[in-house]
Amino acid sequence: MNKLIFEKHVPNSNAFSLPPGMIPEGDIQESIPEQFLRRAAAALPEISEVEAVRHFTELSTRAYGVDSGFYPLGSCTMKYNPKINEWAARIPGFAGLHPYQPEATVQGALQLYYEMQEMLAEITGMDAFSLQPAAGAHGEMAGVMIIKAYHMNRQDQPRTKMMVPDSAHGTNPATANVVGYDVIEVKSNERGLVDLDDLRAKMSDEIAGLMLTNPNTLGLFEEEIKEIAAIVHEGGGLLYYDGANLNGVIGVARPGDMGFDVIHVNLHKTFGTPHGGGGPGSGPVGVKARLQEFLPTPVAVKNGDSYGLDYNRPLSIGKLKNFYGNFGVIVKAYAYIKSLGADGLKEACEHAVLNANYLRHRLRESYNIPLDRICKHEFIANSRKQAEPNGISTLNIAKRLIDYGYHPPTIYFPLIVSEAIMIEPTETESKARLDDFVQVMKDIAREAVEAPELLLNAPQQTAIKRVDEVTAARKPVLKWGDH
Ligand SMILES: *Cc1c(COP(=O)(O)O)cnc(C)c1O
């Protein structure tokens, strides 16, 4: 256990040997410049095939994912990834496509691509979509570039600022900045929603738009969204919808109907495809009709009975990703939508909201819930009750959850709630699972009073115990020995 692969080195053991004569002597050496020629063998571990397989299999059992347990990571929608989606993405006709194949030979793929654009438009109340962006943040960048292109095209140019609420995800101000806007922060009121007075005061003809998440990062629906949209639009700005929290309203309310002009959705959140390490993401960007011509290319089009990719869009912000974007992810999300149908999507939303409210209700006795009212798909607790008398912080609670075999929720976000614990159970968890999680959270609350050292020293049941987070971040050790 815990040995690095270098430490498993057994001289002269071999996982694979090339047939003799496969590497022609001489030729290669002659083509490599003298200074790059290796003089001595590389210090790589020598290890047999079976030991290499065991090594990586053992490592894989240390990774925690939605397939190994409950993963209540707020703002991330870590829902179960239905296996039928993986089957669909592996169909040879999709998996084996070459991106340079002529359109006539990939009509099925283009039909799926086109229908996906149409379905996302219908689900979100927008008019057109591009499936190019590779992640939520990438979709945000596309969306904000579209906003910029729109103002430039109208020669409405002193608009140099983008408004972002103080509850926003960090990618929102970062995106605005990358696209060249100064960020103007809009305050939240005591109910955790956009402060309309502050919004009105900050709206001006220098403002390009407002980026908003609804439900917001506190899991709360922006009840005055119509008024917010009116303020931004009357001031000549556009409204951007960060679709990361779409799971909280999908099938029930549509951003397009709320007044949003540009939107991204995260297929790896709302539409059940794996996140990050489990596969690449996808962040399609959608717009209302008047912004259609700025969408990134290509956009799938239908001509009669055939499908094609349209690159000829002179006002487009351009191409953001190679070929089709992350096509396999799009196939998985397509399978997700088709297998649930309209009713199923609505039901998924309702169960996500029910599960979050159930947890909020059952945890409120043991944990402080700063904005304790009906939420959407996630809610915020914190460690205020545990801070006294033993100085237990949110970090300690999160670490202790690991000992119980649970992935901790998102912590210390959003920034406007101190010591935040952001819990998003998702619709795919059963009541039995939620009850078990509640029991563990209650046990931890009790330990915080009776045996605080269990929290302060957690985790103890893992391969790597409590780490010094600051040193780990500032001085990471990323290599072995002197190699
Ligand atoms: C996850 C998230 C993003 C960024 O999406 P990625 O796909 O991780 O790039 C943006 N905003 C919010 C609110 C999010 O939760």
Side-chain angles (χ1 to χ4, degrees):
M1 273 293 273
N2 273 347
K3 268 192 176 174
L4 297 170
I5 196 158
F6 290 96
E7 294 160 347
K8 294 181 179 171
H9 169 79
V10 175
N12 301 321
S13 56
N14 238 324
F16 183 69
S17 20
L18 294 173
M22 241 184 105
I23 302 180
E25 298 270 332
D27 295 10
I28 291 183
Q29 288 195 359
E30 273 155 34
S31 63
I32 299 174
E34 185 63 24
Q35 75 263 36
F36 297 131
L37 277 178
R38 190 187 283 287
R39 305 275 162 223
L44 293 172
E46 290 173 70
I47 187 165
S48 68
E49 176 175 322
V50 64
E51 290 300 338
V53 168
R54 284 175 186 154
H55 177 78
F56 289 108
T57 303
E58 195 271 317
L59 281 186
S60 78
T61 64
R62 291 198 218 162
Y64 191 101
V66 275
D67 287 355
S68 41
F70 185 46
Y71 210 132
L73 205 61
S75 206
C76 291
T77 313
M78 300 297 289
K79 61 167 91 180
Y80 174 66
N81 310 132
K83 298 303 166 241
I84 192 168
N85 303 349
E86 306 298 320
W87 163 81
R90 275 199 304 266
I91 293 174
F94 290 136
L97 287 182
H98 192 283
Y100 279 131
Q101 264 176 258
E103 284 180 3
T105 68
V106 291
Q107 283 296 302
L110 291 176
Q111 180 178 350
L112 178 144
Y113 204 78
Y114 175 82
E115 288 180 5
M116 187 66 176
Q117 289 173 189
E118 298 285 297
M119 291 194 300
L120 290 177
E122 174 67 27
I123 289 167
T124 59
M126 307 306 282
D127 295 314
F129 260 87
S130 162
L131 310 181
Q132 277 272 301
H138 202 204
E140 277 177 49
M141 188 184 83
V144 175
M145 286 172 75
I146 289 170
I147 291 176
K148 192 169 192 183
Y150 167 82
H151 290 306
M152 301 274 274
N153 190 49
R154 301 175 75 223
Q155 307 202 335
D156 185 2
Q157 284 180 23
R159 296 190 185 266
T160 54
K161 296 175 179 153
M162 182 62 71
M163 294 194 291
V164 176
D166 56 9
S167 60
H169 192 269
T171 50
N172 293 180
T175 296
N177 196 275
V178 163
V179 179
Y181 285 115
D182 294 330
V183 175
I184 302 293
E185 197 171 85
V186 180
K187 288 203 197 81
S188 301
N189 61 26
E190 69 289 346
R191 299 190 69 236
L193 305 175
V194 169
D195 183 327
L196 290 195
D197 292 335
D198 195 48
L199 180 70
R200 268 190 212 98
K202 287 174 178 161
M203 191 64 218
S204 77
D205 58 9
E206 294 193 338
I207 300 283
L210 168 70
M211 300 180 79
L212 199 62
T213 313
N214 194 20
N216 68 18
T217 59
L218 299 161
L220 301 173
F221 191 79
E222 292 285 352
E223 296 154 8
E224 295 178 289
I225 183 59
K226 290 275 190 183
E227 181 63 19
I228 292 171
I231 294 169
V232 174
H233 287 150
E234 276 158 27
L238 293 179
L239 206 56
Y240 183 85
Y241 184 83
D242 175 338
N245 288 348
L246 188 64
N247 212 41
V249 292
I250 190 169
V252 178
R254 307 194 308 170
D257 300 333
M258 299 175 202
F260 287 94
D261 304 289
V262 189
I263 165 176
H264 86 261
V265 295
N266 305 57
L267 299 187
H268 46 288
K269 293 182 181 173
T270 315
F271 297 95
T273 73
H275 280 242
S282 179
V285 59
V287 292
K288 286 286 177 60
R290 64 182 165 143
L291 299 168
Q292 200 160 343
E293 53 198 338
F294 304 109
L295 279 176
T297 53
V299 175
V301 289
K302 187 177 182 187
N303 301 310
D305 286 339
S306 69
Y307 299 87
L309 290 174
D310 183 10
Y311 286 90
N312 184 18
R313 303 168 80 98
L315 291 178
S316 164
I317 59 164
K319 192 147 176 35
L320 297 176
K321 184 81 179 82
N322 44 354
F323 306 116
Y324 295 49
N326 282 331
F327 185 68
V329 182
I330 293 162
V331 176
K332 292 177 200 182
Y334 180 92
Y336 180 80
I337 295 172
K338 286 285 188 184
S339 58
L340 285 182
D343 291 345
L345 289 178
K346 181 166 185 246
E347 217 176 306
C349 169
E350 288 167 350
H351 285 179
V353 171
L354 181 63
N355 280 357
N357 280 286
Y358 179 70
L359 280 188
R360 180 180 58 82
H361 185 77
R362 293 222 42 213
L363 288 176
R364 64 150 71 102
E365 199 188 309
S366 318
Y367 292 88
N368 180 48
I369 313 244
L371 294 152
D372 195 7
R373 59 176 201 268
I374 293 280
C375 61
K376 289 286 174 280
H377 62 307
E378 63 194 359
F379 68 99
I380 314 287
N382 69 15
S383 53
R384 183 180 296 170
K385 286 189 185 174
Q386 285 71 40
E388 298 289 330
N390 294 322
I392 296 297
S393 69
T394 284
L395 182 73
N396 301 137
I397 294 167
K399 296 286 187 196
R400 185 63 180 149
L401 268 170
I402 298 173
D403 274 340
Y404 281 97
Y406 276 111
H407 194 287
T410 298
I411 54 174
Y412 298 102
F413 177 77
L415 305 176
I416 57 172
V417 174
S418 74
E419 297 285 318
I421 305 174
M422 182 190 215
I423 301 175
E424 178 180 2
T426 80
E427 70 279 6
T428 42
E429 299 301 333
S430 65
K431 179 168 177 297
R433 172 57 64 197
L434 299 184
D435 286 340
D436 190 70
F437 178 70
V438 168
Q439 191 53 51
V440 166
M441 287 293 282
K442 288 188 166 186
D443 288 348
I444 292 174
R446 189 171 32 74
E447 289 171 354
V449 179
E450 296 172 4
E453 66 289 348
L454 287 176
L455 281 74
L456 295 167
N457 298 323
Q460 289 297 320
Q461 312 294 330
T462 46
I464 293 172
K465 311 280 180 283
R466 171 76 68 116
V467 292
D468 174 344
E469 310 235 329
V470 176
T471 308
R474 295 265 162 83
K475 295 181 186 158
V477 180
L478 300 176
K479 57 181 197 159
W480 178 74
D482 298 327
H483 296 265

